[in-house]
Amino acid sequence: MEKYLIENYDQLKVISDSLRVKIVIMLIEKEMTVTEIGKETNLPKAKVFYHLKELEKVGMISITRKEEVKGNVYKYYRATHKGFEVDQKLLPHLKEDIGSVHNTIIMQQLENAKMVIAKNTHLINGKNSISQTRQIKCTEEEFKSWAEEYNKLMTKYDYLGDGDNVKTYYINTVGIEVENEIFQS
C-alpha cells in the first residue's frame, strides 16, 4: 500500500471536499462501515454512502470485506493507500486548487492527531513520546531534499518489530513554509 498520486482533475475534484479528506484519512487508519463513519462524522448514512461512492470511483478506497449480521450485510471500506499527494505536474491553472487540497489535508491530519492524542493521554510520559517544533531556514530544493529523506526514513521504520514487547507509536509531522518567522531571535 503506497501513496495515492492525484494526477488528474477528476481525482483532484473528488478529494477537494474536506469531508472526503476526513473520510479517506479515517480509512487509512482503519477499515470502517458506513454506520461507523456516520457516527464519527455525525452524518446520515445516505450522505456517507454518497461520498464513499465518489472516492471509490477514483480508486482511493475499496470494499475490503462484507459481513452478515442478523440479516444485514455490512460492507467494510478501507483506503487503497497509506497517504496521498497531488502530482505537481497538473496543469498550472490548477495551482490554487492544489493548494486548497494540501491545506485541507494538513488541517484534517492535525485534527486526527489531536483526537488520537486525546484518546491516549493516559499512555503519554517522557519515555514513550516525543514532541518538537523547529523553525529552519533553507531553500525550496533543500526542503524538498529533506522531505524525501524524511519519507525514506518513515518508510524504513513502518514496521520494526515483532514479539511481546512491541508497542505502537503514532507519529505526525507537519512542515510548511511560513510568511514570517514564528520564532524571533
Side-chain angles (χ1 to χ4, degrees):
M1 195 189 303
E2 294 298 316
K3 279 191 175 182
Y4 180 93
L5 183 62
I6 298 166
E7 53 193 350
N8 64 53
Y9 186 72
D10 290 335
Q11 294 166 316
L12 184 64
K13 184 177 167 188
V14 167
I15 202 64
S16 291
D17 183 290
S18 61
L19 179 58
R20 290 186 194 139
V21 171
K22 182 175 186 164
I23 291 171
V24 169
I25 291 172
M26 289 166 52
L27 295 176
I28 287 171
E29 293 175 2
K30 64 181 178 181
E31 69 175 7
M32 299 176 80
T33 65
V34 172
T35 303
E36 291 169 332
I37 295 168
K39 285 180 183 176
E40 287 279 327
T41 58
N42 294 316
L43 293 171
K45 289 181 188 179
K47 192 166 188 172
V48 171
F49 187 73
Y50 168 77
H51 289 293
L52 290 174
K53 285 297 168 197
E54 291 298 306
L55 291 164
E56 203 172 19
K57 281 181 196 174
V58 295
M60 292 193 84
I61 66 166
S62 65
I63 297 171
T64 54
R65 65 186 171 101
K66 296 177 183 179
E67 190 175 289
E68 189 173 339
V69 179
K70 298 180 183 177
N72 293 318
V73 177
Y74 293 94
K75 295 177 184 177
Y76 287 82
Y77 293 85
R78 181 80 192 214
T80 57
H81 53 278
K82 286 185 178 181
F84 49 95
E85 63 183 72
V86 178
D87 187 346
Q88 297 299 312
K89 293 176 185 170
L90 281 175
L91 300 174
H93 69 274
L94 296 178
K95 200 167 195 155
E96 190 175 302
D97 289 340
I98 293 170
S100 173
V101 170
H102 279 288
N103 184 51
T104 301
I105 292 167
I106 289 170
M107 297 304 285
Q108 189 56 54
Q109 287 173 328
L110 290 173
E111 286 302 314
N112 283 18
K114 285 169 42 179
M115 288 188 307
V116 169
I117 292 166
K119 289 178 183 175
N120 293 281
T121 55
H122 63 287
L123 296 173
I124 298 172
N125 62 50
K127 296 177 185 176
N128 68 358
S129 61
I130 183 172
S131 176
Q132 293 184 20
T133 301
R134 306 260 174 136
Q135 176 176 282
I136 62 172
K137 290 185 177 187
C138 60
T139 65
E140 190 171 331
E141 282 305 312
E142 289 169 326
F143 181 79
K144 285 179 183 178
S145 177
W146 175 86
E148 285 176 23
E149 289 298 315
Y150 177 78
N151 285 328
K152 286 178 190 174
L153 181 67
M154 294 301 285
T155 301
K156 177 182 175 183
Y157 291 109
D158 273 346
Y159 184 79
L160 286 176
D162 209 359
D164 296 336
N165 294 328
V166 174
K167 296 179 181 182
T168 302
Y169 293 85
Y170 180 89
I171 300 171
N172 180 302
T173 304
V174 175
I176 61 168
E177 180 182 355
V178 293
E179 195 169 311
N180 298 307
E181 289 187 31
I182 306 302
F183 306 129
Q184 301 298 319
S185 356

